Structures are given as C-alpha cells and as structure tokens.
Amino acid sequence: MNGVKSVINKIGLPRIIIVGFFLVLFAGAGYYRMDLAQLMSDILRRWGMYGVLVLAMVPAVQCGIGLNFGISMGIVGGLLGGLIVIQLHISDIPALTAINPLFAQWVAILVAIVIGLILAAGIGYLYGLLLNRVKGSEMTVTTYVGFSIIAFMNIMWMALPFTDGELIFPNAGQGLRPTISLSASYSNVMNNTLALEIGSLTIPTGLLLFFFLMCFLVWLFMRSKAGIAMSAAGENPMFAKASGVHVNKMRVLGTVLSTMVAAVGILVYSQGYGFIQLYNGPMMMGFNSVAAILIGGASPRKARISHVLLGTFLFQGIMALGLPVANQILPEGNLSEVMRLIISNGIIIYALTQAKGGDSRE
C-alpha cells in the first residue's frame, strides 16, 4: 500500500488521471473501429505544431515570472515575421525555386523566424522590464498583457501598410484578412520534409525534428552558466543575489527567451495549420500552452523539457481523440463544437487547479 502511494506521489495523481483518460479515449477509438493510424498521425502532427509554443513556458517559469500567459507578445512578433515574408514573396524568388521549391519554402520560413526573433527580442525586453516592476503579481499581469496585446493588434492589423493581395481584404486597399493562406509560401514545409508514410500512418519527421531541436537548444541553454544563474534567480532570488547574480537581469533574460521561443512557435504552428490566423485567433494559445505544461508535471516554480514533451503529447492527444469518440457516442447530435469547448476548457481548468500543489511533486 505504501509502495502504491509512493508511486502516486512521485508521478502525480493529476498525470495518472490524464494518462488514464487518454488511454480510455484510445481504447474507445479502437472499440468504434476508427482508423487508429490516422488518429495517431493527427496526434503526432499536433504534437509538433503546438510543442514549441509550450516550450516557451520553460524559460519563463525558470527565471521566476511563473506561467507566462503573455506569450501573445512573442506570437505577435512571429506573425509579423510571417506576414513580411509573404509580402516580399521570398518563396517565389526564381534563384531559390530553381534549386528546389521545398528549399525556397524553407528559406521563407527561416527568414520569417529570424524576423520574428528580432521583433520578439525587443518586445520581450520591454515586457521583462514591466514584469520586474510588478513582482508577485506576474501571472495576473501576464494575462492582462496577453489580452491587451491581442486587442491592440486588432487595430494594428487594419492599419499596417501591407499591400499584397493575399494579405489584405479584396477591394479594400487596406486591412489584413483574419485568415491568410500559406499555400503559396511555406504551408506544411516542415510536415512534408522527410515525412514517412507507413500505411495510413504519417510521421511528420521534419516537424518533429525541428521541435526536438528547439527542445535541445533550450535544454542546452538551461545548462549553460547564464541558464543556471537564471534558474537560481527564479528559485531563490535572495540566495542568488547574495551569490552575485543580478536577479532582475536574469528575469528579463528569461522573459526575452520565452517571448522569442513563442515567436518561433507560432510560425511552426501556422505552417502546420496552413494558415496564419490574425485578430482574436491567438487569444487562447497562452492558456492552452499553460495547461499542456502543467499536465506534463510542471508547476509555477519549476518546468523541464520532459514536462513539455509529455504534456503537449497528452493534451493534443486528448484533443485529437476526444471529438471523434464523442461524436460516435452521440452520433445524432451536432455537438462537435460544443464538445471541443468542453474538452479543451475542461482540461485547462483542471490543469490550473493543480498548479498550486505542483512543487511538492518535484
């Protein structure tokens, strides 16, 4: 009995429940004779698409600002990078397409990532200075800032001087469309690179490799001298200060890194989705990312790469399996959108209620 309790305490009851729910859904999909390989393909695709956004939580938590609901700040930088690349038609440059159309698409998305990183670094620096002035209320402020930047950009998307016909409203001359297709630029470029097909199972190898590369780079940084100092500042600011660590600088560094990773994350998500979503499209991405990393076992004071990998897989796995199974149980009702909201928001609420006691399990 004590051994069982020890295992539960080590793994964490919330994670056991979530894993159990995932397995029940997977068994339900098998019971209703769904194409499990196709469902697994969707889970793998979602894992890679959303993973980098969830990864943005790690430097934020480790530097001491907590769960960063304000990754919308970085998302805006990434979206602007993606839009600039479309405006410049980089994927259509003859010298690039002559080599290979896929190569041209990779150049386009890498240029978008570079632009997004530069913009996100500046935004993240200002964001970090703000959070240093509101110590103790970071999660409240990041939520407010996240919603505020989305509202502000709803105005800016109508005012920014983009002129490409793929971007602006037809016959309007100004104002960006809410949904912009990436089919002519870098849609699914990561998904299609080195993709493996085994029957009806499709493994987006390029997408997953890029996700794992981002995880490795963050892991590498967290073990560098700056990363260790940043984690020390987040875990015990007084001790870190006594050891000569500039706590406020480390908090700004973590905030900048979180914002920059989020900029990359939205571009990875957009290419896998095939569209850029503006206006209120990114509104809930911060909440979904927070829920995913909490499900993986993180807390507001400690987050690891393993939490990102496990949490994203479980969260997106439940999302991918939940709707098909629910539609089989209630086939006569048109409940897909209702069930999507119940499942996604239910997971978010449950995960956030577990955040307070997360440290005891580390």
Side-chain angles (χ1 to χ4, degrees), residues 150-161:
I150 294 296
F152 173 73
M153 291 307 298
N154 281 344
I155 300 172
M156 294 304 298
W157 298 135
M158 295 298 298
L160 290 171

Side-chain angles (χ1 to χ4, degrees), residues 63 124-125 128-129 132 247-257:
C63 79
Y125 178 75
L129 295 179
N132 275 343
V247 174
N248 282 351
K249 284 185 178 180
M250 292 299 102
R251 284 167 57 91
V252 171
L253 175 61
T255 306
V256 170
L257 287 175

Side-chain angles (χ1 to χ4, degrees), residues 67-70 127 138-148 287:
L67 300 165
N68 186 9
F69 291 93
Y127 181 35
E138 288 93 345
M139 281 201 284
T140 302
V141 173
T142 57
T143 304
Y144 175 78
V145 169
F147 283 123
S148 297
F287 286 85

Side-chain angles (χ1 to χ4, degrees), residues 53 74-79 261-271 282 285:
L53 285 170
I75 286 173
V76 166
L79 290 175
V261 174
V264 178
I266 192 60
L267 289 168
V268 174
Y269 167 82
S270 296
Q271 67 82 34
M285 286 186 172

Side-chain angles (χ1 to χ4, degrees), residues 40-88:
M40 183 55 67
S41 299
D42 189 31
I43 293 172
L44 293 175
R45 181 181 63 86
R46 286 170 169 266
W47 192 29
M49 280 174 56
Y50 286 89
V52 181
L53 285 170
V54 180
L55 182 65
M57 293 294 155
V58 173
V61 171
Q62 290 298 104
C63 79
I65 70 170
L67 300 165
N68 186 9
F69 291 93
I71 60 170
S72 303
M73 306 288 286
I75 286 173
V76 166
L79 290 175
L80 284 169
L83 294 173
I84 291 171
V85 163
I86 297 173
Q87 174 74 26
L88 297 177

Side-chain angles (χ1 to χ4, degrees), residues 263-300:
V264 178
I266 192 60
L267 289 168
V268 174
Y269 167 82
S270 296
Q271 67 82 34
Y273 182 60
F275 296 90
I276 284 180
Q277 293 178 295
L278 302 179
Y279 300 94
N280 290 332
M283 180 75 78
M284 296 302 295
M285 286 186 172
F287 286 85
N288 291 344
S289 299
V290 167
I293 199 166
L294 289 175
I295 286 172
S299 76

